Amino acid sequence: AIQRTFSIIKPDATKRNLTGEIAAKFEAAGLRIVASKRIQLSLAQAQTFYGVHKERPFFDELCEFMISEPIVVQVLEGEDAIAKNREVMGATNPAEAAEGTIRKEYALSIGENSVHGSDAPETAAEEIAFFFSGLELVG
Ligand code: CMP
């Protein structure tokens, strides 16, 4: 089915001018970028967005990293977009990511791993709504 998923191009990637190369990989995989904006997260916004991880030992590091540089938030649309995006991203830990994936090619570490993507339809809907209004999604 046609789905929408939420994607972040993270600080390590925006800092190295990889926004275009990463977006090109999504498009080459058949994902349409139906919304896109470059933003600077506040600490409070990062903590809210990653709230499910607040008990994890890496939570503070994760939030500090996510506010260290601007990020690019996007909504990707296409057939099985959630799974397709996860395939293109590769494993969370770049050491485990398959050849040709974004994280294999660009990620620096498990924390500075260049991209985020929703893991399920419910989280995709929540994450999209956190950053975008309906008017900003142009299919
Ligand atoms: P993301 O998909 O953005 O969702 C949670 C993030 O936590 C994950 O990507 C990783 O970048 C980050 N993360 C997971 N494990 C670690 C870790 N051990 N140290 C630092 N960051 C981590």
Side-chain angles (χ1 to χ4, degrees), residues 16 25 27-28 33 49 54-55 68 75 90 101-102 104 120-121:
R16 290 177 288 154
K25 288 190 185 289
E27 292 188 326
I33 301 168
F49 179 74
K54 65 174 181 291
E55 305 304 331
S68 66
V75 179
T101 62
I102 291 170
K104 175 70 179 186

Side-chain angles (χ1 to χ4, degrees), residues 9-135:
I9 301 176
K10 295 188 178 184
D12 67 284
T14 61
K15 187 176 187 172
R16 290 177 288 154
N17 285 352
L18 295 172
T19 298
E21 286 182 48
I22 290 173
K25 288 190 185 289
F26 295 144
E27 292 188 326
L31 294 166
R32 184 182 302 281
I33 301 168
V34 300
S36 184
K37 59 188 174 189
R38 181 174 169 99
I39 60 172
Q40 173 65 56
L41 274 187
S42 70
L43 182 58
Q45 288 166 339
Q47 289 168 336
T48 302
F49 179 74
Y50 280 117
V52 295
H53 296 304
K54 65 174 181 291
E55 305 304 331
R56 305 279 190 101
F58 57 80
F59 180 70
D60 289 347
E61 182 191 330
L62 171 62
C63 292
E64 288 298 333
F65 167 61
M66 291 302 291
I67 68 169
S68 66
E69 293 279 335
I71 60 172
V72 174
V73 290
Q74 299 183 315
V75 179
L76 310 178
E77 182 182 274
E79 188 67 28
D80 290 324
I82 295 168
K84 194 172 280 180
N85 179 43
R86 295 180 73 77
E87 213 174 286
V88 175
M89 289 194 295
T92 303
N93 185 347
E96 292 162 12
E99 260 340 295
T101 62
I102 291 170
R103 283 162 171 162
K104 175 70 179 186
E105 196 159 335
Y106 302 122
L108 303 174
S109 66
I110 191 168
E112 299 191 61
N113 65 352
S114 305
V115 282
H116 163 83
S118 307
D119 60 4
E122 303 70 40
T123 43
E126 280 173 24
E127 293 176 354
I128 290 169
F130 186 81
F131 286 101
F132 292 99
S133 78
L135 282 174

